[in-house]
Amino acid sequence: MKKTTLIVILLLGCLCCRAQNEKLSVLWTELTGPDFAKAVEKAEGVCIIPMGVLEKHGPHLPLATDCILADYIAKMAAEMEYAIVFPTFYVGQINEARHQPGTVAYSTELCLKMLEETCAEVARNGCKKIILFSQHGGNNALVNLFCQSQLNSERDYIVYETLFGSKPEVRAEIEKRIKTYSGEHAGEQETSELMAARADLVKLDQASTQNGEALGRLPLEKLRPSIFWYADYPNHFAGEPSQACIELGEYANLEGAKFLAEKIRRVKGDNVGPALQAEFFEKSKHPVDTEQ
Ligand SMILES: [Zn+2]
C-alpha cells in the first residue's frame, strides 16, 4: 500500500471517529448501550442529576417548572462541556405546598433513599463523579444533608452539590434588568426563564389572578418555624411576574448554563476530592490509628 493511501485512510478513520464522538447525545435517555460506554469516557465519568419537584408555581406556570428549567440548563451546560445528563429527578422536599393541587411530596426518608440508590446506580454505570444540580429552593437543605451523609459509608464515587444561582456580576445584571421585584417563586425572573425555555407553557394572562406578595403574617425576627413559607405565601406564589420577558429569561438561562459548564470542567479536573475521600474512608476503618 502506498504511503499516501495509508495516510488518507488514517485521516478518514480519525475524521470518522471524531464525527461519531461529536454525535453523542448528552442525555442518558437518548444514548444507546454501546454509545453509553463511549459517553462515560467522553464525560470523564461526570454525570449531572438535574433536580426539581412537582409543585404549584403561582397561577400561571406549570407544576414541573423547576424540573423543566433544571433539565434545560443542565442540557445546555453539558453541550458546552460534555457530561451525561440523568433524567430529571422530581423526588424532592416540598412539604410546604401539600395544600396545593398537583404537589407530590414524598417523605424525607424516601427522598434520601431515592437519591442514595440513584447515585449508586449512576456510579455503577461508570459515572464516578456526580453533580446534583437543584433548581428548587426547597431542596437546598435536603441536598446538603444528602451530600454530608455520603461520608457515612465507603463508596467509590463522589457527589458534588450545586444549587441554582449565578455569578455575582450576572446576579447584578439580572437585578438591573428586573422591572418589578424578582420574588422567589414564579416571580419575574423565574417566569422569564420558563418563557425562554417553554413559552408555550406560560399563562401570563393568569398571573394577576392571585397575589404573590409576602403577607408577613408571622413576624418572628430571627426565628423560623416550619410554617414560615405558608405564613407568607399561602398561594405558593412569591413575586410579580407581569413584566416577565423572554430576553431576561434567555440571559439568565444562558449564564446559568455557562456557570454550570464551568463547574463541570472543574469537577473533571478534580483529583483531590476523590483521593481525600478514599483516604478518609480508609482511615475511618481504624480511627485509633489516625495520627494525633
Ligand atoms: Zn421554581
Side-chain angles (χ1 to χ4, degrees):
M1 192 184 291
K2 270 189 180 172
K3 207 172 157 189
T4 44
T5 320
L6 187 67
I7 290 169
V8 170
I9 290 171
L10 284 174
L11 264 173
L12 281 173
C14 279
L15 286 173
C16 243
C17 278
R18 270 193 66 185
Q20 260 184 5
N21 247 356
E22 280 160 7
K23 265 193 283 176
L24 283 177
S25 170
V26 298
L27 300 180
W28 184 299
T29 49
E30 288 187 359
L31 291 161
T32 61
D35 281 349
F36 186 84
K38 291 178 204 155
V40 171
E41 200 183 336
K42 188 175 174 185
E44 297 175 44
V46 177
C47 177
I48 307 171
I49 302 183
M51 298 175 70
V53 83
L54 299 175
E55 59 167 335
K56 178 181 170 185
H57 270 76
H60 61 295
L61 297 184
L63 300 169
T65 291
D66 293 351
C67 295
I68 294 168
L69 287 175
D71 215 23
Y72 185 79
I73 294 167
K75 183 170 181 274
M76 213 194 303
E79 275 162 359
M80 293 172 186
E81 180 65 41
Y82 193 84
I84 297 176
V85 180
F86 196 76
T88 327
F89 198 81
Y90 67 89
V91 177
Q93 190 299 120
I94 187 56
N95 288 307
E96 61 276 26
R98 287 172 70 98
H99 63 301
Q100 292 287 353
T103 301
V104 176
Y106 294 111
S107 67
T108 310
E109 293 81 358
L110 184 63
C111 293
L112 289 170
K113 186 89 179 132
M114 280 293 292
L115 272 172
E116 180 67 24
E117 294 209 9
T118 300
C119 287
E121 280 299 284
V122 167
R124 193 177 63 77
N125 279 288
C127 297
K128 304 295 184 190
K129 291 176 165 179
I130 301 168
I131 300 176
L132 298 181
F133 174 59
S134 174
Q135 189 74 17
H136 169 56
N139 266 348
N140 295 4
L142 179 80
V143 171
N144 199 258
L145 173 66
F146 175 72
C147 283
Q148 210 56 43
S149 74
Q150 296 301 290
L151 299 183
N152 189 259
S153 59
E154 189 169 3
R155 60 203 67 219
D156 66 347
Y157 58 91
I158 183 164
V159 178
Y160 303 79
E161 62 170 277
T162 180
L163 308 171
F164 64 101
S166 27
K167 288 181 171 174
E169 60 272 26
V170 173
R171 185 69 239 151
E173 177 62 26
I174 289 173
E175 291 296 340
K176 217 162 73 185
R177 294 191 190 192
I178 280 174
K179 299 178 198 81
T180 56
Y181 65 99
S182 134
E184 295 176 77
H185 182 71
E188 185 173 337
Q189 183 180 343
E190 193 170 34
T191 302
S192 301
E193 288 168 356
L194 202 73
M195 283 168 96
R198 286 292 306 270
D200 58 315
L201 298 178
V202 179
K203 296 184 168 181
L204 203 54
D205 59 330
Q206 295 298 306
S208 59
T209 60
Q210 290 184 16
N211 185 4
E213 274 175 56
L215 299 185
R217 295 189 292 180
L218 202 65
L220 295 172
E221 212 183 317
K222 299 212 187 287
L223 272 174
R224 203 170 85 160
S226 42
I227 200 70
F228 81 97
W229 176 265
Y230 177 82
D232 267 346
Y233 307 107
N235 290 331
H236 213 61
F237 176 25
E240 214 292 66
S242 62
Q243 303 294 312
C245 69
I246 204 157
E247 291 76 17
L248 173 66
E250 277 169 353
Y251 173 76
N253 289 344
L254 179 64
E255 289 301 325
K258 285 201 261 180
F259 200 23
L260 182 57
E262 199 183 299
K263 290 171 186 169
I264 298 170
R265 231 166 276 134
R266 282 195 275 137
V267 164
K268 280 183 178 173
D270 177 29
N271 299 319
V272 179
L276 286 177
Q277 190 176 276
E279 177 192 298
F280 172 84
F281 286 135
E282 188 48 44
K283 284 186 172 180
S284 302
K285 288 178 197 160
H286 35 81
V288 288
D289 296 336
T290 300
E291 201 181 320
Q292 299 299 306

